[in-house]
């Protein structure tokens, strides 16, 4: 290829590469309109009341891909409906691209199946107590929102509900060890990570 | 020429950036590596005087060692946020995970028209991720017209010539969490001395800080091993997390690394 063609080619490629750059320059605030959705039992299509709905807002930012930058919770009413108020906040670490929200729901005796836009589908849980305990661990992991800042505290109702159910399910002999991760998550939101860390260490040492 | 250009343009416009492993994913990979390695055997660690059943065997401080300069650093709540719920954050495993999480530290971007702020602590003011690439076909680091970082094996081993046997230490290295640093910290933890037999840690507390340093540095190295297992770290693929920023890659495909949290949401079903 002649040199002048190669230079034009390179310039063109560079130009195309740089086109998306303005996307990270202009958008320093993230927001959400009011979210209204429903929690429904998958098979019967009946509404599920008193389900704890957790909505995570995520996007792509920085080097490490997806960030979860906001979390809100709500409880479904008798019609299975839930509502989360509109909000606006500074963008975490810049402007996440490809932003999306991810609703899920938790209710004792049920398990999450899927969500379609803002409709969340649950079904009755039919496993053993041990399987339920594992399920609670997965719910705890899945609802994590590391870059949520102050809104992370909105997870407290969910974390408390998970702890309460874990206490009911845990084997009496190993109860303290089994509920430890759930208790840590509750205390991290109540007292901060460092205090929660210290309390956890003291509990474990006192059991040894 | 026009046809080639059209094909090129279509390729560029329809290509999808590859994403790195997320911090939570690195943490989970490292947790599994720990469990399956000899470190998961409490008797193995006991032989080194470490009580791996203790939730806090070393305390909360580790060292950043650069030649004769030794700076104290503390664990940070940032790290705990990406650990699995079951991990005890100040255990041996916790320290390993801290390194695996912090190896992706970067300083953010602050250029006219584009500002991205890094959430991680800014201890060493390094853009570490740029050093997590090595393309063995072309023997090159992350490259956009020119090399943007060190070759990952050099970065992880603390050398400037990793194929040499043994690789010579790079005394001017900015990365203080290399295999060399982990080994030196372990030596100091066990003996209380530095190479050359000068006393550097005369109390148990000081030796414990070197143990924390050992596992923190080892965690950083494990992070690199995990990255090297991904195609996009060995093919010079677009990888910045911001489409078009850093480098676009006409041959990259939608090869997206697992996303820990979303994966676990799917795993609920």
């Amino acid at each position: 290829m002649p040199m002048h063609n190669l230079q034009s080619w390179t310039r063109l490629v560079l130009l195309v590469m740089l086109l998306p750059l303005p996307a990270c320059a202009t958008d320093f605030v993230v927001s959400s309109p009011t979210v209204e959705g429903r929690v429904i039992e998958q098979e019967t299509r009946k509404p599920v009341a008193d389900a704890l709905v957790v909505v995570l807002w995520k996007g792509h930012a920085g080097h490490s891909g997806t960030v979860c930058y906001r979390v809100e919770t709500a409880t479904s009413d008798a019609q299975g409906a839930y509502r989360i108020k509109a909000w606006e906040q500074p963008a975490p670490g810049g402007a996440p691209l490809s932003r999306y929200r991810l609703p899920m729901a938790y209710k004792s005796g049920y398990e999450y199946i899927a969500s379609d836009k803002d409709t969340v589908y649950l079904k009755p849980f039919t496993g053993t107590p041990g399987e339920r305990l594992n399920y609670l661990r997965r719910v705890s992991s899945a609802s994590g929102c590391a870059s949520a800042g102050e809104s992370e505290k909105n997870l407290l109702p969910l974390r408390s509900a998970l702890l309460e159910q874990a206490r009911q399910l845990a084997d009496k002999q190993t109860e303290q060890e089994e509920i430890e991760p759930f208790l840590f998550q509750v205390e991290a939101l109540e007292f901060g990570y460092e205090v929660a860390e210290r309390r956890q260490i003291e509990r474990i040492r006192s059991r040894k | 020429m026009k046809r080639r250009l059209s094909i090129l343009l279509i390729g560029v416009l329809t290509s999808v950036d590859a994403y790195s492993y997320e911090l939570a994913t690195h943490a989970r990979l490292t947790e599994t590596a720990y469990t399956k390695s000899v470190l998961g055997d409490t008797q193995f660690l006991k032989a080194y005087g470490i009580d791996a059943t203790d939730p806090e065997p070393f305390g909360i401080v580790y060292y950043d060692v650069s030649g004769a300069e030794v700076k104290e650093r503390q664990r940070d709540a940032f790290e705990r946020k990406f650990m699995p719920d079951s991990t005890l954050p100040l255990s041996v495993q916790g320290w390993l995970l801290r390194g695996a999480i912090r190896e992706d530290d970067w300083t953010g971007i602050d250029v006219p028209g584009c500002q991205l702020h890094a959430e991680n602590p800014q201890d060493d003011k390094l853009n570490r991720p740029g050093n997590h690439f090595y393309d063995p076909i072309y023997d090159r680091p992350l490259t956009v017209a020119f090399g943007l970082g060190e070759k990952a094996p050099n970065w992880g081993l603390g050398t400037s010539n990793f194929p040499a046997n043994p690789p010579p230490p790079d005394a001017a290295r900015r990365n203080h969490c290399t295999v060399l640093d982990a080994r030196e910290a372990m030596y100091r933890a066990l003996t209380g001395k530095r190479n050359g037999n000068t006393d550097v840690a005369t109390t148990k507390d000081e030796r414990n800080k070197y143990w924390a340093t050992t596992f923190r540095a080892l965690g950083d190295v494990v992070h690199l091993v995990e990255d090297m297992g991904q195609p996009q770290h060995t093919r010079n693929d677009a990888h910045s997390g911001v489409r078009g920023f850093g480098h676009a890659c006409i041959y990259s495909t939608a090869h997206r690394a697992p996303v820990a949290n979303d994966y676990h949401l799917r795993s609920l079903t």
Side-chain angles (χ1 to χ4, degrees), chain B residues 238-249:
Chain B
H239 199 69
S240 68
V242 180
R243 178 156 169 71
F245 191 86
H247 61 310
C249 177

Side-chain angles (χ1 to χ4, degrees), chain B residues 55-127:
Chain B
E56 188 190 8
F58 311 133
I60 61 169
V61 174
Y62 67 101
Y63 288 130
D64 179 342
V65 182
S66 175
E69 189 180 12
V70 180
K71 291 179 193 159
E72 280 197 358
R73 302 223 190 272
Q74 285 199 12
R75 58 91 169 87
D76 194 286
F78 171 84
E79 297 144 11
R80 181 63 186 93
K81 291 186 173 188
F82 298 94
M83 291 183 190
D85 290 352
S86 56
T87 301
L88 295 174
L90 290 168
S91 62
V92 177
Q93 186 186 44
W95 278 106
L96 197 73
L97 266 63
R98 286 175 193 279
I101 290 163
R102 295 289 302 279
E103 180 55 34
D104 261 344
D105 276 13
W106 67 307
T107 59
I109 298 164
D110 188 4
V111 296
C114 186
Q115 291 177 314
L116 295 172
H117 306 290
E119 289 188 300
N120 50 255
Q122 305 288 319
D123 287 344
D124 47 17
K125 303 284 185 291
L126 281 176
N127 281 312

Side-chain angles (χ1 to χ4, degrees), chain A residues 39-48 110-114 120-124, chain B residues 269:
Chain A
V39 184
I40 291 172
E41 194 178 313
Q42 190 189 35
E43 283 199 9
T44 64
R45 298 282 156 173
K46 288 181 178 172
V48 179
Y110 284 84
E111 67 179 306
Y112 169 88
I113 292 299
V120 184
Y121 296 95
L122 302 180
K123 74 169 187 182
Chain B
T269 63

Side-chain angles (χ1 to χ4, degrees), chain A residues 32-40 53-57 76 80-84 100-105 112 114-121:
Chain A
S32 168
T34 299
V35 176
E36 292 179 327
R38 294 189 74 201
V39 184
I40 291 172
V53 179
V54 177
V55 183
L56 306 170
W57 277 265
S76 60
Y82 70 90
R83 186 172 191 272
I84 289 171
Y100 59 97
R101 63 174 178 261
L102 208 58
M104 59 182 286
Y112 169 88
S115 53
D116 179 14
K117 294 183 180 169
D118 297 314
T119 303
V120 184
Y121 296 95

Side-chain angles (χ1 to χ4, degrees), chain B residues 81-242:
Chain B
K81 291 186 173 188
F82 298 94
M83 291 183 190
D85 290 352
S86 56
T87 301
L88 295 174
L90 290 168
S91 62
V92 177
Q93 186 186 44
W95 278 106
L96 197 73
L97 266 63
R98 286 175 193 279
I101 290 163
R102 295 289 302 279
E103 180 55 34
D104 261 344
D105 276 13
W106 67 307
T107 59
I109 298 164
D110 188 4
V111 296
C114 186
Q115 291 177 314
L116 295 172
H117 306 290
E119 289 188 300
N120 50 255
Q122 305 288 319
D123 287 344
D124 47 17
K125 303 284 185 291
L126 281 176
N127 281 312
R128 290 179 168 271
N131 302 287
H132 297 176
F133 296 78
Y134 179 59
D135 177 351
I137 301 294
Y138 299 99
D139 186 30
R140 61 180 176 175
L142 176 63
T143 302
V144 185
F146 51 87
L148 291 178
E150 289 190 38
K151 295 171 189 172
N154 282 346
W155 179 256
L157 292 172
T159 182
S160 54
N161 182 18
F162 75 89
N165 188 17
D170 177 4
R173 65 182 177 276
R174 293 285 316 279
N175 180 14
H176 304 150
C177 295
T178 67
V179 171
L180 281 181
D181 296 291
R183 194 174 64 186
E184 175 64 20
M186 184 177 172
Y187 181 87
R188 295 182 185 194
L190 286 168
T191 66
K193 299 176 186 300
R194 63 185 294 186
N195 281 332
N197 273 347
T198 314
D199 285 337
V200 288
T202 54
T203 65
K204 185 179 179 184
D205 184 48
E206 286 172 337
R207 288 201 303 279
N208 276 340
K209 289 173 186 171
Y210 277 114
W211 273 126
T213 311
T214 303
F215 291 105
R216 153 74 215 250
L218 196 57
D220 285 69
V221 176
V222 171
H223 177 121
L224 280 177
V225 174
E226 291 159 0
D227 275 356
M228 287 293 97
Q230 285 195 72
Q232 60 266 41
H233 277 270
T234 57
R235 301 189 316 190
N236 201 41
D237 278 5
H239 199 69
S240 68
V242 180

